[in-house]
Amino acid sequence: MSYAIIGFGNIGQALAKAFSRNGIEVTVATTRDPESFAANAAAIGPKVMAKTLADAVKADIIFLAVRFEQHPEVAKALPAWQGKTIIDVTNAYGVPPEQLGGQPSSKAVGQAFSGARLVKGFNHLVAATLAQDPAVHGARRVVFLASDDDAAADDIGALAEHLGFAPIKIGGLSEGGLLVQARGKSWGHLIFKDLLKFDA
């Protein structure tokens, strides 16, 4: 299984740290030349590879960590996204609900990435928290996952566990997904909730 993070701002770098901490190779990319952020990638760890967007979209599992407004541009990198799993880490704060046709922002992302399996996740924590080791005081930091594809949610849940997090599935995009999405000028109820799960 191959992994990529598209977007290398604070959230993208926090995700890259999670992969590096666990010795898992991950490609990082933006719409810019990879040379412009290669040094930052190398500083995180030797398995964080700065590559072009065209290289990054070859991965099986792709974290979409760009600004919400940029997702249509990224989606143009492939004519179809069958066989890919997209983890939507975007937050559509400030985007009017009517611009989304009244649907959850992840539904709009899913339409742009035609054919992909889509999971909403890893977006409810601020970057500084997401960047930390998720093992805290004998517990693991929670990440919420929402998807209309149960198998995809299970796969990303397994990856989250591999990265040291405690995944909690919260249902489909139109139900649980709304708890972790921004709508207009409001945030979902679970956004910014930094929760820990103690394993029995």
Side-chain angles (χ1 to χ4, degrees), residues 68 88 90 104-111 118-120 173 181:
F68 177 80
D88 176 17
T90 67
S105 61
S106 285
K107 291 268 193 184
V109 172
Q111 287 161 1
L118 187 110
V119 178
K120 181 75 175 176
L173 297 176
Q181 298 193 37

Side-chain angles (χ1 to χ4, degrees), residues 126-157:
V126 296
T129 302
L130 186 62
Q132 296 169 19
D133 189 329
V136 184
H137 306 306
R140 292 177 297 149
R141 182 162 276 120
V142 166
V143 289
F144 297 110
L145 304 176
S147 182
D148 294 337
D149 184 323
D150 284 340
D154 287 342
D155 289 348
I156 301 311

Side-chain angles (χ1 to χ4, degrees), residues 20-47:
S20 180
R21 212 168 21 242
N22 292 281
I24 304 169
E25 186 170 304
V26 65
T27 294
V28 294
T30 70
T31 53
R32 295 177 287 126
D33 186 316
E35 287 183 12
S36 66
F37 56 90
N40 289 345
I44 293 174
K47 297 208 168 190

Side-chain angles (χ1 to χ4, degrees), residues 86-132:
I86 302 291
I87 303 167
D88 176 17
V89 195
T90 67
N91 280 315
Y93 186 77
V95 178
E98 54 271 20
Q99 195 174 313
L100 301 170
Q103 63 186 349
S105 61
S106 285
K107 291 268 193 184
V109 172
Q111 287 161 1
F113 289 84
S114 176
R117 306 193 308 165
L118 187 110
V119 178
K120 181 75 175 176
F122 292 85
N123 67 297
H124 82 283
L125 295 170
V126 296
T129 302
L130 186 62
Q132 296 169 19

